[in-house]
């Protein structure tokens, strides 16, 4: 690259000394305005000092102001989240907050949502490339035999979690490892990356063949929905359950539980035929709104929106409804959770910081269930389209 | 529900007259502070009048301030996006902007990214419940025969798009229809819902059996990743392609194209074994950052993050790399696109409003490709973990 | 290859003149005995003249004698199969015939099985490799515009079927075509291969760029289960339905329909979580037994075993049960259908030859449903393990 | 059921004393002829005494005579199969034996196929239904804590294998267990059913809540292809590998390794997009032919045809090719393996009886690889269609 090419001259301004100041952000805004002829009046308005941002963003120039609605109260009967919650939801989609709110009211009237975190594991999946399949199999046995030392090599890199176990998935001469960790209250993608790097380096140093590896063999599957995550859990595996009284549903939403259960059979086979990541309705909606509000890594909607709905119609006509999120990736510590508005929203839920992640996971699942019930009832009642016309802009 | 229950007394304050004022938002902030004992200093700080929000949010109480970094320039050789672009990315994940930026520089040095929108269709998928499989099959034939009138009934509900075609997927006595539309520059989920509702009602009135239906049979698959969307397109199907010179990659990223191509074989089979939505690296990251910045429906990351990477190593060692996003759901009109910071970011890309959606789709794909190359090279070069340590908070 | 290598000396004997004689088969048996020291007393015993075999086998040396049981009668209310059928099932698995037989009896007592062929299409999926994505898209439009001529070029190669339509699935610069055909009473894999070859050659000659292609891009997906086949049909898409009276099930199998429906909810979500090709029980069992008996291409069990179960519990406690086979690949003409025992079994079902394939498809689906009901009831009743102990060898 | 209904009168004749005689089989043939007006001349011709059949078939009336061709020699460099093998293939599909034979010759010329069994586990997957998700999670912990006693309860039911481990997959209040076993030289579906039944009964007796269960929750996934099987192995996980010299492929098949590798990129992404069970070509063909010949449970083609192809083009132009069968279900003992022709074919391969299963698994994988290479080369060379015309009947 020559210094004279236009591309170089048009480089986004950076300050080698301190790049995280209002002035520096403003310089980038001016640069962007100049380059594109756009006037930027709003992006530069934010309520905090940019010096909180290192570790969260590079080339900072302003903020997206995403409107938030307050939904709730949502009554939760969890092991970590217990009582009524008011839920901040950041979205630009009309009817979303209203719809979730409606579901929360129904659930609260029916004794609330029972929530449980049933598994917890974040992973990095390196792949080792051996000379042939036989060597890969023997290498796998060696990994099993040396588990304690591999674990020690990984665990030393972090204080917030630890290596749980390693599953092996062989293809030809390749041995894909799925290295599972607890991660405390962080989401843990970086932590597990670092720990697994240490583990792999230990392996390389200590295995007689010094086998080559790649730190990700694409079965983690980071930022991607997958069968392996639904089966084996990524992040938190969390369940929300409720039993809805037949009269309550009928009174509040004008729908009979029997019709809802009839429709469930159809949704189940539809989702199955479509090869869908989720046999429910729209977990992604509630999760995205919560994730943006609370500083989660929003790209993890890719994994987190997977869900397994299981329900039964009871003898008395009441409706048992559960939803399992097998790959909910969240944090209450690290990442964006400490940024100003994000932290406030976590605090509003009583989840900020160390010790908050299971509580937050339970709230996420409860919110998702509220949205499932509300949308499913709306579809059956036929007011899905009309409510969008009223509350949403008619697009 | 009795009026005296605490749940009722704790209801979020709403103003039946005008709920979209700073005062009303502040009242909700005060309510939330009171209910939860949290002090909210930042969420109430925003730069616009809440009267712009009807149709985007309910129970508005403030904003999430999501930091944005400016990446680029990214040289794009598209049919709609052409030239150099500076890209606003809203994220709280350290290294993300830096990593994409690095990929953009490499691509720009290599002649830029060629982008093409190759298909465009949004759908709603109602299901009709017939008496038995035979009736369902015959009903399907009737739908085919009456296509023109069904289309007319749907098309009359909207000016921004039109019904393209209807595919049929039968299970027992159920006929799932996948009704496909163009949607102009809106994402079109609401539009297609409304149009399909009109189509279904027309069918119900005109078919001799007045068959029952549900407006969604769960094969759309709205807000959910699925095989059907990857195969048949949801939203835009858009491709980004580039040919990267061997020396260029080696100089800028310290990685040989041959090693990258070797690793691609491993990533392909890993993704295939894992049942992944995407055989690439991390499309969700770039898309989420773009979606938040530009007022997209962020829940659509669920569908949009699916991708198909196809690449070849050329005789001379250069690397042809393509990524196809089969279900990119975006808008440049309607939804959150007109909100203050969101609109500014779309304008910065020259995509706001009518006529911008194909251009924006191309930019999305080009950005995704930049992220693929940067991360893949980092993983091979071994600086993936270390860069996170430098730029990201050590979690 | 040198003539002196042992590999050459050990070549299986072939007769350039007429390789399909008892003598020639015997010579190969002797050769095999010599090479392996095995005595072959049974494989050489068959009841037909090998001169019927050209086109079905090479290097013929004998037969596998697969025992067959006679199940039935099975009462079918189909459009093509109507009345009671006795079903030849070739298997070596104890309890299989008994179990299917039990299901047939239950179904016959309940008014029989209603069967319907709802779609019919066999395909070959070539892929064209264009210069870039844009060219591939334009090429796709050209294919659409030239559909009539492409169809003519394909149709001229065969009298037993015709090209129906072509779907397009683009990835980067690759355009995968799924070329769909009716195939009369043949399975049609060869016919569609030949016709598609003609179509592709026509395209190559007539398109200005003479694009390169490969005759299979691996999305057919021949001899492989896949989402695309479940969604878009391969071979026959056929449905079997029945309504089972609560008392009948209870009397004959000791199971309540409510328990069965309760268990269905669990099987549905289990199959969904597992990423299974089939949310039912064991379609492959009945189909394999039918396929071997009737000279089908048994490898097509790979595709044909996919199934979609959809059921409802009726108000009165009766149980509506349907199973849809979306990719049933069968023939009553060509392939192995004309071989001696195979033809007899097809004749026993009244399906041999031209005009028999829809009838046979309906029988296949009805048999599958019988097996579903029998096994599901056995699992719920707890006699699944014990019946295997009685009828099957204890392995 | 009244005794007077026609259905009863038309019942297939059975002999309560000894149903497994030539006379009894003949009586059923006469019955079938009478009922259907078909003349059955061939099905009644078989070379063994029916008294060998109990445990393999019910209502025996004759045999399917499936023609077999002798392919080979195939040079295998396995841990259990070592040397040259002549392979019996039972099929009615023209060109199949010839095509596999061609691949075997190429592989043998290139040093043979290296084969390795890398995992071995058969499973039954019961589901326990608890009161809620929390109870299900606690129940899961109890299962882990009581593993030794559960294993003991299972292991006592069988001498041929043992319980290895139990994985847990929770959905709402349901805990699906995947109970894994070694099964010696039997396929083991019955054995694992019986052992798991004992394990579940032990659990029910000993857990304080006596939880209800169903012996299969549909995640085994018995007789069904699935992601879980590809990831976690069902039956044998076996790999076949070979390195093919560039000149050798070019000389024998007229195809350049570079073209084959180019096409592999296209097949990979095609299979990925299609949601295919197998990114290779046609494993089902070779396996079905082997399974019928050797008395395997042919319905297991459903699971066994899944495959993972991984290959690399070496610097010198040679082609490394591996195929991994993650769910190969085979036996050399029990089931149909001891029947006359079936046993002879197993003996021909030197695999009959105790100790033969790993050897046979290796042969299966080696045969599959031969078929992959032959078909892939034929498709690239363009002689796929023409060879079918010559050797197969033109259907």
């Amino acid at each position: 690259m020559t210094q004279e090419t236009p591309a170089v001259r048009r480089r986004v301004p950076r300050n080698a000394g301190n790049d995280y100041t209002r002035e520096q952000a403003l310089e980038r805004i001016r640069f962007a305005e100049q380059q594109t002829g756009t006037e930027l009046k709003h992006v530069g308005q934010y309520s905090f000092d940019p010096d909180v941002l290192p570790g969260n963003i590079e080339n900072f120039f302003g903020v997206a102001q995403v409107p938030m609605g307050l939904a709730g109260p949502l009554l939760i009967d969890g092991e970590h989240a217990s009582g009524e919650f008011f839920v901040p939801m950041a979205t630009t989609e009309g009817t979303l907050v209203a719809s979730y709110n409606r579901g929360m009211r129904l659930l609260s009237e029916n004794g609330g949502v029972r929530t449980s975190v049933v598994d917890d594991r974040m992973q990095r999946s390196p792949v080792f490339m051996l000379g042939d399949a036989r060597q890969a199999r023997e290498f796998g046995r060696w990994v099993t035999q040396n588990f304690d030392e591999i674990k020690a090599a990984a665990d030393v890199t972090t204080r917030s979690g630890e290596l749980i176990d390693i599953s092996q998935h062989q293809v030809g001469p390749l041995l894909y490892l799925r290295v599972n960790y607890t991660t405390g209250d962080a989401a843990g993608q970086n932590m597990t990356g670092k720990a697994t790097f240490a583990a792999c380096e230990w392996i390389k140093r200590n295995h007689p063949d010094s086998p080559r590896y790649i730190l990700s063999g694409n079965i983690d599957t980071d930022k991607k929905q997958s069968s392996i995550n639904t089966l084996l859990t990524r992040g938190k595996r969390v369940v929300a359950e409720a039993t809805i009284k037949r009269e309550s549903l009928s009174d509040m939403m004008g729908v009979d539980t029997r019709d809802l259960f009839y429709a469930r059979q159809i949704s189940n086979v539809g989702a199955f035929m479509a090869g869908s990541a989720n046999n429910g309705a729209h977990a992604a909606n509630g999760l995205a709104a919560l994730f943006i509000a609370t500083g989660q890594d929003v790209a993890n909607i890719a994994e987190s929106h997977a869900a397994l709905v299981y329900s039964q119609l009871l003898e008395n006509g009441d409706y048992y409804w559960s939803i399992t999120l097998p790959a909910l990736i969240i944090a209450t510590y690290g990442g964006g959770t400490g940024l100003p508005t994000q932290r406030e929203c976590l605090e509003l839920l009583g989840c900020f910081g160390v010790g908050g992640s299971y509580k937050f996971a339970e709230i996420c699942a409860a919110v998702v269930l509220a949205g499932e019930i509300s949308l499913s009832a709306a579809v059956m009642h036929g007011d899905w389209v009309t409510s969008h016309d009223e509350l949403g802009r008619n697009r």
Side-chain angles (χ1 to χ4, degrees), chain A:
Chain A
M1 288 179 300
T2 353
Q3 293 299 317
E4 287 71 30
T5 61
V8 171
R9 284 202 305 274
R10 295 185 60 200
R11 200 171 282 176
V12 174
R14 290 183 59 87
N15 183 327
N18 182 5
D19 206 46
Y20 293 93
T21 63
R22 282 193 175 264
E23 293 66 39
Q24 193 57 30
L26 198 57
E27 198 179 321
R28 279 189 280 262
I29 287 183
R30 294 297 159 251
F31 172 80
E33 290 184 328
Q34 240 175 354
Q35 294 292 334
T36 65
T38 315
E39 192 187 4
L40 301 175
K41 294 196 305 187
H42 291 278
V43 295
Q45 306 202 39
Y46 43 91
S47 64
F48 53 85
D49 190 300
D51 67 5
V52 304
L53 292 175
N56 288 114
I57 191 94
E58 299 83 42
N59 287 6
F60 172 71
F61 74 101
V63 302
Q65 297 180 37
V66 185
M68 295 198 289
L70 190 66
L74 171 58
L75 181 58
I76 304 181
D77 167 22
E79 294 175 297
H80 305 275
S82 183
E84 291 189 334
F85 291 84
F86 290 94
V87 183
M89 306 186 82
T91 183
T92 59
E93 298 304 303
T95 79
L96 192 150
V97 174
S99 173
Y100 275 82
N101 206 36
R102 194 173 86 120
M104 291 177 190
R105 211 169 115 209
L106 179 82
L107 285 171
S108 299
E109 292 285 327
N110 279 273
V113 190
R114 170 158 292 214
T115 53
S116 317
V117 177
V118 301
D119 200 359
D120 180 15
R121 51 183 65 232
M122 175 51 62
Q123 46 279 128
R124 181 57 54 197
S125 292
V127 58
F128 283 81
M129 294 87 76
L130 280 294
D132 64 15
R134 229 170 277 170
Q135 289 175 33
R137 181 192 63 203
E138 296 311 312
F139 171 69
R141 288 174 184 167
W142 185 92
V143 167
T144 302
Q145 283 155 9
N146 290 272
F147 174 77
D148 289 343
E149 278 154 301
I150 294 168
K151 174 176 161 56
D155 286 355
V156 82
T157 64
T158 174
R159 279 162 310 162
S160 48
E162 61 172 316
L163 196 160
I164 307 169
D165 54 27
I166 302 174
S167 68
Q168 306 185 0
H169 309 267
Q170 188 171 342
V171 179
L174 308 173
L175 193 72
Y176 294 80
L177 302 180
R178 190 165 162 100
V179 190
N180 294 293
Y181 297 86
T182 59
T183 63
D185 294 290
Q189 288 109 318
N190 297 346
M191 189 211 97
T192 56
K194 209 169 143 184
T196 304
F197 177 68
C200 291
E201 289 293 310
W202 186 92
I203 289 170
K204 204 172 175 180
R205 276 196 311 275
N206 288 279
H207 187 278
D209 300 338
S210 272
R212 284 186 308 152
Y213 72 92
I214 301 174
L215 193 50
S216 171
N218 226 2
I219 75 158
D220 326 65
T221 48
D222 195 27
K223 308 286 162 74
K224 296 180 281 279
Q225 199 280 328
S226 68
S227 289
I228 200 173
N229 287 344
T230 295
L231 284 163
L232 302 183
T233 302
R234 181 167 171 83
K236 271 66 179 164
R237 191 177 195 97
V238 55
V239 180
E241 306 168 274
T243 299
I244 298 158
K245 292 200 175 56
R246 191 178 184 187
E247 290 83 41
S248 176
L249 188 75
S250 175
D251 287 355
M252 291 181 69
M253 300 198 179
V255 173
D256 193 276
T257 50
R258 286 170 200 281
D259 291 335
L260 222 47
F261 194 59
Y262 168 84
R264 170 103 313 263
Q265 311 307 313
I266 295 171
S267 293
N268 275 349
V269 73
F272 186 74
M273 172 169 62
S276 180
N278 177 336
N279 65 335
H282 65 142
N285 271 332
L287 292 177
L290 269 165
F291 277 26
I292 298 172
T294 59
Q296 307 302 314
D297 185 347
V298 181
N300 287 132
I301 289 298
E303 291 124 306
S304 302
H305 86 281
L308 300 157
V309 171
Y310 167 69
S311 61
Q312 291 282 2
L313 188 67
L314 307 186
E315 287 280 323
N316 63 2
D318 292 351
Y319 193 171
Y320 167 81
W321 199 322
S322 78
I323 190 160
T324 300
L325 305 178
L328 180 67
I329 304 176
I330 50 98
T332 58
Y333 177 78
T337 60
L339 296 180
T341 63
Q342 289 80 351
R343 175 176 177 157
E344 285 180 0
C345 287
L346 278 173
E347 286 176 341
L348 203 153
L349 294 166
C351 295
F352 178 70
V354 172
S357 64
Y358 278 37
K359 186 176 182 182
F360 184 59
E362 291 189 336
I363 293 170
C364 286
V367 168
V368 164
L369 186 59
E372 294 296 294
I373 290 170
S374 181
L375 179 54
S376 302
V379 170
M380 287 311 286
H381 191 252
D383 51 14
W384 183 24
V385 168
T386 47
S387 70
H388 268 284
D389 266 10
E390 277 166 40
L391 289 174
R393 273 176 187 152
N394 186 3
R395 283 153 267 169

